Amino acid sequence: MRSNMSASSFSFEPTTYVVELTPVGRGAVAVVLIDGAAAVRSVDACFTARSGRTIANTPIGRIAVGNWGGPAGEELVVCRRDQQRVEVQCHGGLAASRAIINSLTAEECEEVSWRTWCLRSADDRIRAEARIALADATTMRSAAILLDQLNGAITAAIHLTIAAVAAEQWSTAAEIVSEMLKHGELGLHLTTPWRVVLAGPPNVGKSSLINSLAGFERAIVSPTPGTTRDVVTLATAIEGWPVQLADTAGLRPSDDELESAGVVLAQTMLAAADLVIIVNDVTRPTLTIDGAFRSLIRSDRVIEVWNKVDLKSERAEIVSGDDEPRQPETILETSAATRQGVSELLNAIAAALVPDPPRAAAAVPFLPRHIEGLNIARNAIERRNSAIALDALHSLLASEAPR
């Protein structure tokens, strides 16, 4: 039997999303967004306005007060934001918003997180990713850079690169991409802190120094060598950059099982550090970590500090870890007790992590996929392969999924 139905008889309506915009937890008001072609219809199926007017007949931007789920339902506020977006404001907490979301999913709306909604509803994926990343920024300086990306800095740079590749202006395209990639490592640390590890022999003042760097006491301070057995970490900001400071166990061979376990943890932290601060005791210049421990450092960023300078009366030569004499003027000296040299150390940390901060409104890639795509584009530009370069650049801008 032959069917009379053709492919054109079927129609597929784009997904309508229901999104809780407020964070989980207690609050006075919760906000639920309904976004999609069926948004108005779905809300009208659940909401009764006091005015008797449906949301479909309510002007855009007009607030409607009424009840959800019938006249005896929760009293709340509804506002139609545009042709396919409706905002519901209800009592805060989990129960009220959950009841609204459940009733809307029964109307065949799809519940998604606000992050997923940002990506799926955006015309510009990078701007959506910047909006998401902004929620995780912990410093004003990081947030300012991400705000530049939200305002289109990296998107504009990619469009300029696309135009240059299309016109076969290879040097211009390469310059733009290289400028973006120059800030790639910084971009990855706008929401993930730099890992700065303090390491050195026991009892050289690492715990006191980390407290001075943080500005408050976090690590235990004791004159007994080997007191720090675990890795003590704390989150802070140095010149506006998010940083995780780690105080590790003193690096020395030990027969003590607990202390040895602390040394193993310290070694793991050394291998994963973005910056290592080797702390020595200026009053005991021959006591330094040996080459076996130094070989564990993978980062090319290392600052050597001679601590307890307030206890040294004579400024004699200081011996470095490789047993070569070094003059005091070439060494960063600190005193955790008096805070002498702490400001200079903070400046040195910031300069080591971010030697060339981006200018205002600079294009800064901030996700691994941005850096991967830009590297593919740069390699293709170097080979003058416009097809691969354009594909990589357009992929960076493409939406995650169609509406």
Side-chain angles (χ1 to χ4, degrees):
M1 183 175 177
R2 190 172 181 178
S3 172
N4 293 325
M5 297 182 71
S6 65
S8 61
S9 301
F10 296 93
S11 62
F12 296 92
E13 189 173 62
T15 303
T16 295
Y17 299 115
V18 55
V19 191
E20 186 166 7
L21 297 181
T22 44
V24 175
R26 287 186 171 187
V29 177
V31 180
V32 177
L33 176 70
I34 305 90
D35 177 21
V40 173
R41 183 176 71 246
S42 298
V43 172
D44 273 333
C46 303
F47 176 71
T48 303
R50 285 183 184 174
S51 65
R53 180 183 290 177
T54 64
I55 295 301
N57 293 323
T58 300
I60 291 173
R62 179 77 58 84
I63 292 174
V65 179
N67 300 88
W68 194 268
E74 181 186 1
E75 187 176 71
L76 44 71
V77 171
V78 173
C79 182
R80 184 182 181 189
R81 292 299 189 185
D82 57 33
Q83 295 295 340
Q84 65 172 25
R85 287 184 180 174
V86 181
E87 187 177 290
V88 177
Q89 297 187 8
C90 62
H91 291 93
L94 297 176
S97 59
R98 176 45 50 189
I100 291 168
I101 292 170
N102 288 343
S103 60
L104 289 167
T105 55
E107 295 295 325
E108 299 186 353
C109 296
E110 179 185 345
E111 181 185 2
V112 295
S113 69
W114 73 269
R115 287 178 168 85
T116 299
W117 170 73
C118 278
L119 291 173
R120 291 187 183 178
S121 63
D123 295 325
D124 183 333
R125 184 177 179 181
I126 291 180
R127 289 190 181 189
E129 290 167 336
R131 187 182 300 278
I132 293 168
L134 262 171
D136 296 321
T138 56
T139 71
M140 291 291 290
R141 195 168 191 180
S142 294
I145 294 173
L146 288 168
L147 187 60
D148 286 336
Q149 313 321 305
L150 176 60
N151 289 333
I154 190 169
T155 298
I158 290 173
H159 280 301
L160 287 174
T161 309
I162 290 171
V165 170
E168 297 187 351
Q169 297 172 349
W170 302 110
S171 60
T172 299
E175 183 180 350
I176 298 170
V177 172
S178 294
E179 183 67 19
M180 285 189 280
L181 285 171
K182 180 175 74 173
H183 301 302
E185 187 181 18
L186 167 62
L188 295 178
H189 286 97
L190 293 175
T191 55
T192 302
W194 299 90
R195 293 166 296 190
V196 177
V197 177
L198 279 70
N203 206 32
V204 294
K206 297 186 298 297
S207 297
S208 297
L209 189 56
I210 200 171
N211 287 338
S212 293
L213 290 171
F216 63 91
E217 289 192 8
R218 173 67 173 85
I220 297 172
V221 177
S222 169
T224 304
T227 301
T228 302
R229 304 297 177 89
D230 203 350
V231 175
V232 177
T233 61
L234 61 89
T236 188
I238 297 178
E239 292 195 11
W241 307 122
V243 170
Q244 181 194 69
L245 295 173
D247 175 25
T248 59
L251 297 176
R252 67 174 179 181
S254 175
D255 295 329
D256 181 272
E257 184 177 349
L258 188 58
E259 184 177 358
S260 296
V263 171
V264 171
L265 286 175
Q267 293 171 348
T268 301
M269 294 295 290
L270 279 177
D274 297 303
L275 167 65
V276 176
I277 301 174
I278 298 177
V279 184
N280 304 292
D281 184 344
V282 75
T283 67
R284 297 181 294 165
T286 59
L287 180 64
T288 59
I289 60 174
D290 61 28
F293 288 122
R294 285 177 180 264
S295 66
L296 298 169
I297 300 173
R298 299 288 180 263
S299 175
D300 57 359
R301 301 184 184 95
V302 178
I303 297 174
E304 191 139 0
V305 171
W306 290 85
N307 195 31
K308 302 186 182 181
V309 71
D310 57 306
L311 301 180
K312 186 174 179 62
S313 58
E314 296 181 4
R315 301 175 62 81
E317 284 189 345
I318 299 172
V319 182
S320 70
D322 54 8
D323 296 328
E324 294 180 0
R326 297 175 61 181
Q327 298 300 320
E329 58 266 25
T330 67
I331 294 168
L332 189 56
E333 296 181 340
T334 62
S335 167
T338 67
R339 295 190 57 83
Q340 179 181 338
V342 171
S343 178
E344 289 79 2
L345 177 55
L346 288 169
N347 292 337
I349 292 171
L353 295 176
V354 190
D356 184 19
R359 56 176 173 75
V364 178
F366 55 92
L367 291 179
R369 81 168 195 94
H370 301 164
I371 295 171
E372 180 183 359
L374 289 172
N375 274 318
I376 293 172
R378 180 168 64 180
N379 292 335
I381 289 167
E382 290 174 352
R383 300 194 308 271
R384 301 197 172 188
N385 187 324
S386 59
I388 293 178
L390 290 173
D391 181 66
L393 294 167
H394 282 296
S395 294
L396 287 171
L397 300 175
S399 299
E400 185 181 71
R403 285 287 307 171

